[in-house]
Amino acid sequence: IHKMISYPTHPDIIVPYRLSTLSACTRLFSDEMASGNWRNAVKLGMYILIQYCLIYPPYHPMVAQHFLLLSKSCWNAIIKEKLRDEFRFK
């Protein structure tokens, strides 16, 4: 949560339906993917997907692109969890 608060929003209160919150979450989503924090990226990606589905019409290219990024995050989160479990039981 401290990392989320460090991303600028206007005003300083994070309101779920504001575009400034969506913008901050999108930047945080990219940063979480870049640093390999896949579980956080999946959570942020789901929030962003819901917002995109409310903003964009069906089959919009932005929604499709986000689905691809979210799929990548989900896949990597699953693989990372499997690897962690595999090494934990050995």
Side-chain angles (χ1 to χ4, degrees):
I1 186 89
H2 299 293
K3 193 172 185 180
M4 177 63 187
I5 293 172
S6 70
Y7 281 75
T9 58
H10 181 73
D12 293 333
I13 300 170
I14 298 172
V15 180
Y17 53 84
R18 292 220 172 134
L19 287 178
S20 59
T21 304
L22 180 59
S23 176
C25 286
T26 303
R27 288 192 308 273
L28 183 58
F29 176 66
S30 297
D31 291 347
E32 291 295 308
M33 286 179 57
S35 63
N37 297 327
W38 299 112
R39 291 183 80 188
N40 291 342
V42 169
K43 292 174 186 176
L44 285 163
M46 294 298 285
Y47 166 77
I48 294 167
L49 177 64
I50 291 167
Q51 297 299 316
Y52 280 179
C53 287
L54 294 173
I55 294 170
Y56 293 110
Y59 309 111
H60 193 278
M62 194 69 177
V63 176
Q65 179 186 14
H66 186 70
F67 261 119
L68 288 173
L69 292 174
L70 182 56
S71 298
K72 175 184 175 180
S73 297
C74 290
W75 176 258
N76 286 332
I78 291 168
I79 296 301
K80 187 174 182 179
E81 192 69 29
K82 287 281 190 185
L83 290 175
R84 184 181 307 142
D85 288 345
E86 187 176 305
F87 288 117
R88 186 180 315 159
F89 292 117
K90 287 188 177 184

